Amino acid sequence: MEAKKISVIVPVYNSINCLEKCVRSLCAQTYPNLEILLIDDGSTDGTAALVEELAKTDPRIRIHHKENGGASSARNVGISLATGEYLAFADSDDYLEPYVYEELLRALTAGDYPVAQISRDEVDEDDNRLPDVCIPPAKEWFCDAETFIKELLLHRGDCSFCTKLFPREVFGAHRFPEGELNEDFRLLVEILQEITGIVILPKQGYHVVARKTSTTRMRTKDSFSRVFTDIVENADGMQALVDEKYPALHAYAIRFNLYQRLDYLLHVPILQMRADNAFYKRVKTYLRRHLFDTIKNPYLTKKNKAYLLLFTASPKTVRRVHAGKMKLRRGA
């Protein structure tokens, strides 16, 4: 098993305060045959120099500096540079337990599975445990591709590439979509259509660090992250895919579409809720056309349904009330 090299691709951008912890956790892996690719995506805070210093500490570390193009661009460069038979990914502000890649490769090869996934947890910047976003299985479990898609549609599946180990050939011509957020979801769904499924390990060996400075969902009074529009676009794509290839999942896809639009409406700035905002109008129109689905869909919670019905009836009023509640909560 140790003859097989694992290339771990780490996009790096202005990560001077957290990169070393991530890299140390990679260097400490019990599976030694690693190639650690640090792809500096045009950092401006001194991270580029830190990458150079870290490369001196372990011969398995390879570095590449590039102009800023985003995490997907950095990952795609890493894929092109990787020399391992297996590919893995890590985010520069996260860290791993030492057993992760040994366990992933064991599971992958023992069952001749196409992809292996370790479970994850979420911690804050002081390593305090946060509520689980993805609940780990009680025991090692092979989840077939259609079931995995269903879990994603229910927001129970883990779409992160950082928790997974892939044989290199799984990627083929697949690459991360550049210039988008929620890119893991889109690429994973592409890959799931070509594999039998994913074996999931129960150990929570990958630690996602929730940082206050994360830009993924940062917003101001007048603007917000495009992730909230990207997740709606992805939902539309999922609906088309499900209706074509997985018709048994239709109700799950409707639930996913409604939920993603609810997430958008809970975050869109009130100043953007205008008649000339075509995207906002699309979201409103969808809710009105799917009023019956909102009421009858068995996979939405009562709270989801209540919010969706209120947004369908009076979106601006509900958004103002919700914004006020969030402001009071932050000030408490």
Side-chain angles (χ1 to χ4, degrees), residues 39-303:
I39 312 298
D40 171 38
D41 190 39
S43 295
T44 59
D45 68 342
T47 297
L50 176 59
V51 165
E52 297 283 347
E53 290 302 311
L54 290 171
K56 298 175 183 177
T57 67
D58 194 308
R60 297 174 297 174
I61 298 175
R62 295 175 56 200
I63 61 176
H64 180 84
H65 299 282
K66 62 183 287 294
E67 292 185 1
N68 181 253
S72 289
S73 171
R75 283 175 165 182
N76 289 338
V77 168
I79 292 171
S80 68
L81 295 174
T83 61
E85 292 90 343
Y86 298 92
L87 299 183
F89 301 86
D91 284 342
S92 61
D93 46 2
D94 300 336
Y95 63 98
L96 297 75
E97 293 299 321
Y99 58 77
V100 167
Y101 292 125
E102 183 173 7
E103 283 290 295
L104 284 172
L105 189 56
R106 174 201 60 76
L108 197 70
T109 54
D112 194 25
Y113 297 121
V115 178
Q117 173 183 299
I118 199 82
S119 293
R120 76 187 209 206
D121 62 15
E122 314 264 335
V123 298
D124 64 19
E125 293 174 276
D126 298 317
D127 284 338
N128 297 309
R129 183 77 178 269
L130 300 174
D132 287 330
V133 173
C134 301
I135 306 299
K139 60 182 180 180
E140 194 168 304
W141 173 46
F142 178 72
C143 182
D144 67 83
E146 183 167 343
T147 300
F148 202 98
I149 288 174
K150 183 184 80 172
E151 292 298 297
L152 292 176
L153 293 174
L154 289 169
H155 290 91
R156 297 193 308 221
D158 180 5
C159 67
S160 173
F161 277 70
C162 294
T163 54
K164 297 172 179 63
L165 180 65
F166 303 84
R168 187 187 188 93
E169 60 268 20
V170 166
F171 279 84
H174 295 297
R175 292 297 182 268
F176 290 92
E178 299 185 18
E180 299 179 14
L181 298 175
N182 207 222
E183 64 278 6
D184 283 19
F185 183 93
R186 182 168 296 190
L187 180 56
L188 184 61
V189 170
E190 286 182 16
I191 290 174
L192 282 166
Q193 296 173 66
E194 299 178 0
I195 63 175
T196 56
I198 298 176
V199 61
I200 304 173
L201 282 61
K203 291 182 179 178
Q204 292 175 292
Y206 189 93
H207 305 295
V208 177
V209 181
R211 297 192 181 277
K212 295 177 182 177
T213 55
S214 173
T215 59
T216 304
R217 295 195 167 212
M218 285 179 65
R219 61 180 297 275
T220 66
K221 180 181 177 182
D222 301 329
S223 65
F224 70 139
S225 171
R226 62 168 292 179
V227 72
F228 295 106
T229 55
D230 285 354
I231 61 175
V232 173
E233 298 283 7
N234 282 347
D236 288 340
M238 284 298 291
Q239 188 72 62
L241 171 67
V242 163
D243 289 345
E244 177 186 357
K245 295 187 176 181
Y246 309 100
L249 301 181
H250 176 79
Y252 298 98
I254 292 291
R255 178 260 178 209
F256 187 70
N257 248 301
L258 289 166
Y259 190 97
Q260 300 300 72
R261 283 165 168 78
L262 174 59
D263 203 9
Y264 167 86
L265 287 168
L266 287 170
H267 292 87
V268 62
I270 295 170
L271 291 177
Q272 291 191 24
M273 301 174 80
R274 306 185 310 266
D276 62 346
N277 184 334
F279 193 92
Y280 169 65
K281 286 181 66 178
R282 270 178 52 199
V283 170
K284 287 201 307 178
T285 299
Y286 186 95
L287 294 189
R288 289 168 181 166
R289 288 178 177 172
H290 290 81
L291 180 62
F292 181 80
D293 289 314
T294 296
I295 297 169
K296 294 296 184 180
N297 193 285
Y299 307 112
L300 289 166
T301 67
K302 290 181 179 179
K303 185 177 180 180

